Amino acid sequence: MTAPSKTGVAIIGAGPAGLLLGHLLRAAGIACVIVERQDRAYVESRIRAGVLERTTTDLLRRLGIDARLNAEGLIEHGFNLAHDDLLIRIDVSALTGQPVTVYGQTEVTRDLIAAAPERDLDIMFEAKDVVLHDVTGDAPFVTFTRDGVTQRIDADFIAGCDGFHGPSRKAIPAVACEYEREYPFGWLGILADVPPCHDELIYANTDAGFALASMRSATRSRYYIQVPLTERVEDWPADRLWDELERRFAPLASRPVVRGPALEISIAPLRSYVFETMRHGRLFLAGDSAHIVPPTGAKGLNLAASDIAYLSDAFIAHYRGDESGLTGYQARALARIWKAERFSWYLTKLMHRFPEDGAFERRMQIAELDYVAQSQAMQTAIAENYVGLPL
Ligand code: APR
Ligand code: PHB
């Protein structure tokens, strides 16, 4: 075992939450270190959603890690909800004064990792067997193994940014603070270097189930369809998936669905989850370690970013002698989390076919979408949630 090192905030996990927190703390001159289980290539290749709220792009701009975001991000002034052949455009810029930015989470992660050395942010990749110690005492610490050597980091605080499966949440007793909903289907996604079939996203509720046409750039498309949880990727050769996408988007999109070699095909389950104890002694949770949203509405990364906006401010205030941010962190974060949970759940229920639903529920979905099509009030309510509620 090497001699213990000492830092201000020991951050577990180098996903978007941990990386943003690390950069914001370093920019304020606060000592911190990130310990990450995976290697850099693995972290940089994970494919996730790609719609950024202004709260998220503001953080990247504040850090000055925005050159590629500014050059390559697509400013989207609207998105579409659809059923049958009805396309309902939600003009988010006109309704809220704010667009969203299409820029992949993978790119955000790469930009944050690339900027780390020049900003003196230490990311320790391939840290195995991370264990949190004494989180409710005055001197918490983290141990892990790297290159066969056991290491220990003493810290003032531990930030649990280690996603849904990480050890941080498990270090907190789950007494009456866990809320969960699983959905009886998953999303089968494909990423391909082909031009998108529409200039803005289309979330479609079709007779065959939900489908989403999204993109990463003018030449890279991202599509998803709803599939039963029993399906496996092997059941979906690319041509079968393209046939299905063509069928679902032909009546809705402005251009045909173009086929091309798949860069990735995967199936992800959908889940809503909140763990309300986001502070336990000197341990603070942020991002997916504390909550999961279904991908409908693309709130996952944005919610991790807003947690970090609150938590970084709270740590910075602490080191200036003000405890109120840390004391209020959980309540502030949860108020926004629950609203994003509500919106993701609402959009999931509105746009998917649930196996237990019959013809009546289907009519309810169509009636609601027809109402959205006619009501500016409904469109505004959807738009202000989609672009992100204020911090
Ligand atoms: N030790 C160290 N690191 C760990 C451990 C562990 N035992 N377990 C998990 N991690 C790392 C993961 O490898 C990952 O890099 O923690 C990181 C968590 O990152 P994310 O899962 O991306 O979570 P978060 O940063 O909260 O970002 C939330 O990103 O993951 C998406 O869908 C999610 O969009 C949401 C957003
Ligand atoms: C994506 O582009 O991957 C994406 C977009 C919007 C969503 C989910 C995923 O709601």
Side-chain angles (χ1 to χ4, degrees):
M1 174 149 176
T2 56
S5 57
K6 170 83 179 127
T7 194
V9 182
I11 300 169
I12 306 178
L19 290 166
L20 280 170
L21 179 61
H23 275 294
L24 289 161
L25 294 180
R26 290 305 300 130
I30 295 167
C32 62
V33 53
I34 303 181
V35 288
E36 164 61 48
R37 184 170 55 141
Q38 306 290 351
D39 63 27
R40 177 174 175 174
Y42 182 94
V43 172
E44 289 190 333
S45 61
R46 276 193 301 233
I47 293 166
R48 299 264 170 76
V51 180
L52 307 185
E53 296 175 0
R54 195 156 85 191
T55 46
T56 306
T57 53
D58 278 353
L59 283 182
L60 293 166
R61 298 214 158 95
R62 190 168 122 197
L63 286 166
I65 306 180
D66 57 350
R68 230 157 51 91
L69 169 72
N70 294 332
E72 297 172 25
L74 302 176
I75 303 295
E76 296 271 304
H77 295 288
F79 74 101
N80 303 277
L81 298 175
H83 73 81
D84 301 300
D85 57 2
L86 177 71
L87 195 67
I88 308 158
R89 180 164 187 269
I90 311 289
D91 188 332
V92 296
S93 285
L95 293 163
T96 70
Q98 282 182 52
V100 293
T101 305
V102 165
Y103 188 67
Q105 179 171 323
T106 311
E107 311 310 320
V108 173
T109 306
R110 283 186 191 161
D111 294 346
L112 292 169
I113 291 175
E118 76 214 28
R119 288 152 187 255
D120 205 14
L121 171 61
D122 191 8
I123 309 172
M124 306 179 85
F125 288 103
E126 297 183 78
K128 305 296 175 197
D129 306 319
V130 171
V131 181
L132 294 78
H133 304 266
D134 294 354
V135 296
T136 53
D138 287 338
F141 62 101
V142 175
T143 56
F144 55 93
T145 307
R146 218 169 160 229
D147 297 328
V149 180
T150 301
Q151 301 191 35
R152 167 175 168 157
I153 299 175
D154 294 301
D156 300 329
F157 300 102
I158 299 176
C161 302
D162 44 0
F164 189 65
H165 301 287
S168 295
R169 188 179 66 254
K170 292 171 194 140
I172 303 177
V175 184
C177 71
E178 241 180 331
Y179 301 84
E180 179 159 28
R181 156 125 205 203
E182 283 178 353
Y183 300 88
F185 41 74
W187 278 19
L188 169 65
I190 183 167
L191 183 71
D193 276 331
V194 291
C197 65
H198 207 75
D199 289 338
E200 295 175 336
L201 274 68
I202 304 177
Y203 294 81
N205 181 339
T206 80
D207 277 337
F210 169 79
L212 169 61
S214 179
M215 70 209 70
R216 291 289 176 274
S217 70
T219 55
R220 182 169 286 186
S221 302
R222 179 73 165 155
Y223 290 101
Y224 300 91
I225 61 168
Q226 169 186 353
V227 293
L229 280 173
T230 46
E231 299 287 286
R232 292 163 314 144
V233 171
E234 303 80 81
D235 303 328
W236 287 90
D239 271 333
R240 179 177 176 209
L241 181 48
W242 287 120
D243 286 347
E244 197 57 39
L245 290 166
E246 201 171 280
R247 198 155 69 85
R248 297 192 196 185
F249 287 111
L252 296 167
S254 55
R255 296 178 293 271
V257 170
V258 180
R259 298 177 185 217
L263 301 171
E264 191 237 24
I265 298 189
S266 59
I267 296 183
L270 273 69
R271 183 200 305 269
S272 296
Y273 176 86
V274 179
F275 190 89
E276 283 198 327
T277 308
M278 293 179 73
R279 175 187 191 166
H280 185 58
R282 288 176 171 263
L283 167 63
F284 292 81
L285 301 184
D288 275 20
S289 70
H291 43 76
I292 298 287
V293 286
T296 333
K299 291 287 164 230
L301 165 63
N302 294 301
L303 211 46
S306 61
D307 285 356
I308 294 304
Y310 299 135
L311 187 57
S312 58
D313 280 355
F315 281 138
I316 293 166
H318 163 84
Y319 286 104
R320 292 179 184 153
D322 172 5
E323 285 311 297
S324 61
L326 289 178
T327 311
Y329 168 66
Q330 176 174 309
R332 274 181 94 193
L334 282 173
R336 195 166 190 281
I337 289 161
W338 276 117
K339 293 185 197 86
E341 291 282 347
R342 185 205 69 82
F343 182 64
S344 310
W345 164 84
Y346 164 77
L347 214 53
T348 302
K349 288 208 314 173
L350 180 61
M351 302 310 294
H352 292 73
R353 307 301 305 276
F354 285 70
E356 68 269 26
D357 282 356
F360 180 81
E361 283 77 12
R362 174 83 179 134
R363 286 289 188 285
M364 289 294 100
Q365 289 180 328
I366 291 174
E368 175 141 9
L369 285 164
D370 285 344
Y371 178 40
V372 170
Q374 288 154 13
S375 161
Q376 183 166 323
M378 283 294 280
Q379 291 184 16
T380 304
I382 290 171
E384 64 189 19
N385 282 277
Y386 194 76
V387 301
L389 298 174
L391 281 179

